[in-house]
Amino acid sequence: MESIWSRRGLFIVGGRVIAGATLAAALESYAAADSGDTVDWRGLFSSKAEGGTGVVKQITGLAFANRRSLKLGSVVHSGEQIRVATGGTLAVSIQDGTLISMKQDTVLDFAPTAKKTGLLNLVAGALLTIMPTGNRYLVAGPTATIGIKGTVIFREVFAENVNTARAMEGRTAKLPGKGLKDYFCTCNGSVDYLRNTDKSLIVSDHAEHHNSFFLNPENPKLLEKFEMINHFDRDIKAAIELQDGPKHDSSFLKL
């Protein structure tokens, strides 16, 4: 499905011309497409992502939205920057059913819309996202932007002084050399890896149960396979249970 803005201020979706007054309905229909569909990410996010809100569902320690201290039930607004202090954790339920879970030392630019789309820019730290099928989000980071099609994903931007991570079966994994610090896992569902500059497609990925990589900007194919680290099926199950509305299918989990 293809969508573009015309010079006359009309929105073109799948060959149909839609006036601005009916754009909201068009976006809802567009977002409801199957998660395997091709998405024109540049067209979908041609305007600033704004207007959405989230509610704090779980918090330990300290977390902030801009300079506001957050507590259970606090509302977070699109355009705010979320920060989780050392020793803290935070889970936020977005109005469209998306659930985002953050670990300590996470910095996230939070910009959902009111129409099942949004932009989450991970500046530092770790982000687990549980997203209903049909939602369309961009998860940005230092190496690439990931187009999320209704998916469970995990992304972590490691600090320069971090060289190890938790792996399966209680092991410690040594992070790769070459300065690779941007890690991404498609835990379940479909995603598109996009260039930060123009949001053009690098490669698409689909996983039933975890497909993990470090993102290497020096590699033309971007992705360097790595094991699952710092997130596990029990973490995903706990996040699914925090979702408002219909829960994501958890049958793919191996608990």
Side-chain angles (χ1 to χ4, degrees), residues 58 140 142 209 227:
Q58 190 175 77
H209 187 254
E227 63 182 306

Side-chain angles (χ1 to χ4, degrees), residues 84-240:
V84 183
T86 300
T89 63
L90 180 71
V92 174
S93 175
I94 301 174
Q95 65 199 67
D96 57 28
T98 297
L99 191 285
I100 59 175
S101 178
M102 291 152 280
K103 298 182 180 181
Q104 65 175 351
D105 302 322
T106 294
V107 180
L108 179 75
D109 295 327
F110 179 78
T113 75
K115 298 298 178 183
K116 301 182 181 181
T117 63
L119 172 63
L120 304 172
N121 178 38
L122 186 61
V123 179
L127 174 70
L128 173 65
T129 298
I130 314 293
M131 189 175 300
T133 299
N135 287 18
R136 298 287 185 264
Y137 272 67
L138 295 177
V139 175
T143 308
T145 297
I146 318 298
I148 312 300
K149 300 179 179 181
T151 308
V152 180
I153 65 97
F154 176 82
R155 188 170 193 171
E156 184 159 1
V157 177
F158 289 91
E160 289 298 321
N161 62 344
V162 176
N163 298 304
T164 61
R166 292 184 301 119
M168 294 290 290
E169 300 173 349
R171 295 181 299 105
T172 297
K174 184 177 180 180
L175 302 189
K178 300 175 288 186
L180 301 187
K181 295 295 183 179
D182 192 352
Y183 172 88
F184 187 87
C185 181
T186 306
C187 306
N188 178 258
S190 300
V191 303
D192 290 333
Y193 289 85
L194 311 168
R195 292 177 178 84
N196 277 345
T197 51
D198 61 1
K199 303 301 181 286
S200 60
L201 179 66
I202 302 172
V203 65
S204 297
D205 186 38
H206 177 84
E208 294 300 324
H209 187 254
H210 300 291
N211 205 14
S212 307
F213 304 92
F214 270 91
L215 310 186
N216 184 356
E218 303 300 323
N219 182 343
K221 296 184 179 180
L222 183 69
L223 307 180
E224 297 199 4
K225 187 64 180 173
F226 202 77
E227 63 182 306
M228 187 170 64
I229 54 174
N230 285 0
H231 72 296
F232 306 100
D233 283 2
R234 62 180 179 272
D235 305 319
I236 295 171
K237 178 63 173 177
I240 289 173

Side-chain angles (χ1 to χ4, degrees), residues 2-68:
E2 184 177 358
S3 61
I4 59 173
W5 283 104
S6 75
R7 290 184 178 181
R8 292 178 295 173
L10 301 177
F11 196 68
I12 303 172
V13 179
R16 294 186 298 123
V17 179
I18 301 172
T22 58
L23 175 56
L27 279 175
E28 288 183 309
S29 174
Y30 185 68
D34 183 80
S35 63
D37 287 352
T38 299
V39 177
D40 175 13
W41 295 103
R42 282 177 291 184
L44 187 59
F45 287 88
S46 58
S47 59
K48 184 178 180 181
E50 57 187 1
T53 60
V55 176
V56 174
K57 294 286 289 187
Q58 190 175 77
I59 185 171
T60 61
L62 297 175
F64 304 88
N66 290 346
R67 296 185 178 181
R68 293 189 298 116

